[in-house]
Amino acid sequence: MLPWKRLLRPLTALLLTTAVAVVPAAGVAQAAAAPSHGWNDYSCKPSAAHPRPVVLVHGTFANSTDNWLALAPYLEDRDYCVFSFDYGQLSGVPLIYGLGPIDKSAEQLKTFVDKVLAATGAAETDLVGHSQGGLMPRYYLKFLGGAAKVNALVGIAPDNHGTTLSGLTNLLPYFPGIGDFLTTNTPALADQVVGSAFLTKLNEGGDTVPGVRYTVLATKYDEVVTPYRSQFLSGSGVNNVLLQDLCPLDLSEHAAIGLFDRIAFHEVANALDPAHASTTTCASALS
């Protein structure tokens, strides 16, 4: 018999460490300092060219600052009203978010979208999310009335069908109790494991809802959401994009694609304004 009581703690630590690896320490430090931003300006009024505010949805173990230090200014420079928020905080855990039950986090997204729409006067918003931030909004769209208030969802490395975490989650059956431990202590991690009750409910009956445009940006070097093709969605109004099809030289993995990959950012801009989209190539890294 496996000495599971002795192995439970290191395996759990490995799961958490892998997830934490997507959050640069410098980003957390900047979040602690609570710097001022150009985004989250509630006096911003969307332009005729970009009539919908953009809500950025961070990933697991991240927050509304560190995930968007590059993408938020990128979109601001292109005349978007940009907003971000924190969700899924656990009691006693400061600075890092996205750990609570995903269905409850979706309720927080609903509240924030209503706040942004009221402030800007817009009828709809566009959502851009990294990792869990690309998955969680789908619950809002499907079960909480979000489809009436969202024009487009852009998921950057989203775990739409869960993750095996490079095969690590396949070990869970060999460690009795760890599943309950994750569900109790970090519900969002349990929700994102392949085959979870949350994912079964979310994906039953189809990946998408009518009236929303979906874009998924994935990298074949993703080591967190695996296999990477599980990120792609099926259904009408879906555009699945593999970065290496656009630029074979792009080596971004799970963190980089959301934190600073300007090739991915160019595709985000294309998804938000398809009428004025331009071809994404390796040269887009300099745009």
Side-chain angles (χ1 to χ4, degrees), residues 37 39-40 42 54-59 62-68 72 82-89 95-98 102 104-116 125-130 132-134 136-137 140:
H37 311 294
W39 72 93
N40 280 342
Y42 287 91
V54 177
V55 172
L56 304 176
V57 189
H58 65 73
N63 58 54
S64 60
T65 300
D66 63 27
N67 222 144
W68 308 121
V82 182
F83 300 86
S84 64
F85 74 113
D86 293 317
Y87 69 86
Q89 185 178 29
L95 302 180
I96 56 176
Y97 298 81
I102 296 181
K104 300 303 180 183
S105 293
E107 294 176 3
Q108 294 177 273
L109 172 61
K110 176 182 179 180
T111 299
F112 188 75
V113 167
D114 288 345
K115 177 181 178 180
V116 168
T125 187
D126 289 325
L127 308 178
V128 179
H130 180 211
Q132 182 192 160
M136 178 269 278
Y140 165 56

Side-chain angles (χ1 to χ4, degrees), residues 45-177:
K45 299 301 179 183
S47 65
H50 297 142
R52 292 176 298 275
V54 177
V55 172
L56 304 176
V57 189
H58 65 73
T60 309
F61 283 99
N63 58 54
S64 60
T65 300
D66 63 27
N67 222 144
W68 308 121
L69 292 173
L71 181 57
Y74 182 95
L75 294 176
E76 281 188 293
D77 289 345
R78 285 152 181 79
D79 196 31
Y80 286 94
C81 292
V82 182
F83 300 86
S84 64
F85 74 113
D86 293 317
Y87 69 86
Q89 185 178 29
L90 294 180
S91 178
V93 181
L95 302 180
I96 56 176
Y97 298 81
L99 300 177
I102 296 181
D103 57 348
K104 300 303 180 183
S105 293
E107 294 176 3
Q108 294 177 273
L109 172 61
K110 176 182 179 180
T111 299
F112 188 75
V113 167
D114 288 345
K115 177 181 178 180
V116 168
L117 293 180
T120 60
E124 289 183 310
T125 187
D126 289 325
L127 308 178
V128 179
H130 180 211
S131 195
Q132 182 192 160
L135 163 71
M136 178 269 278
R138 293 180 50 226
Y139 191 94
Y140 165 56
L141 298 177
K142 194 169 188 177
F143 298 112
L144 302 178
K149 300 178 181 180
V150 174
N151 168 70
L153 168 61
V154 183
I156 305 172
D159 47 347
N160 282 315
H161 299 99
T163 178
T164 67
L165 206 59
S166 296
L168 190 58
T169 61
N170 295 331
L171 298 176
L172 292 180
Y174 297 100
F175 296 88

